[in-house]
Amino acid sequence: MVVLSVCISAHCHQKGAYNVMHTFQQMVEEYHLHDQVEMNEAFCTRNCGEGVSVTVDGENTNVLPEKAREFFKTQILPKIQK
């Protein structure tokens, strides 16, 4: 199970948190990963930077909304297909 959290604090909200979360949810649907990806919302992870703060299995990173689909394919799918 991959645990995926998206920060929805004011700062990340302004940077497109809703779009990142929505894209990730679409990808979970598209790849039928309901039982393999746990999606969560988080409040201020103190990982402010360029893009929205995203935590994958405890590791923080930043994702731009326009790169969310690519991020899911390169960072989430490989963890599931192990």
Side-chain angles (χ1 to χ4, degrees), residues 27-44:
M27 300 289 289
V28 167
E29 291 284 331
E30 183 178 326
Y31 287 94
H32 309 287
L33 301 174
H34 297 65
D35 59 342
Q36 297 177 58
V37 176
E38 178 184 325
M39 293 277 302
N40 298 304
E41 296 174 345
F43 292 99
C44 197

Side-chain angles (χ1 to χ4, degrees), residues 13-78:
H13 177 74
Q14 290 176 341
K15 291 188 174 223
Y18 174 79
N19 293 332
V20 171
M21 179 69 89
H22 184 70
T23 298
F24 290 166
Q25 289 170 337
Q26 286 179 324
M27 300 289 289
V28 167
E29 291 284 331
E30 183 178 326
Y31 287 94
H32 309 287
L33 301 174
H34 297 65
D35 59 342
Q36 297 177 58
V37 176
E38 178 184 325
M39 293 277 302
N40 298 304
E41 296 174 345
F43 292 99
C44 197
T45 59
R46 304 212 187 287
N47 187 40
C48 299
E50 186 177 330
V52 176
S53 179
V54 173
T55 305
V56 180
D57 290 339
E59 294 182 33
N60 292 325
T61 191
N62 293 102
V63 178
L64 295 169
E66 60 271 16
K67 300 285 186 178
R69 191 167 187 79
E70 177 184 340
F71 177 85
F72 194 95
K73 286 182 178 180
T74 61
Q75 302 300 314
I76 307 302
L77 289 181

Side-chain angles (χ1 to χ4, degrees), residues 4-15:
L4 179 60
S5 299
V6 177
C7 180
I8 58 169
S9 68
H11 186 261
C12 286
H13 177 74
Q14 290 176 341
K15 291 188 174 223

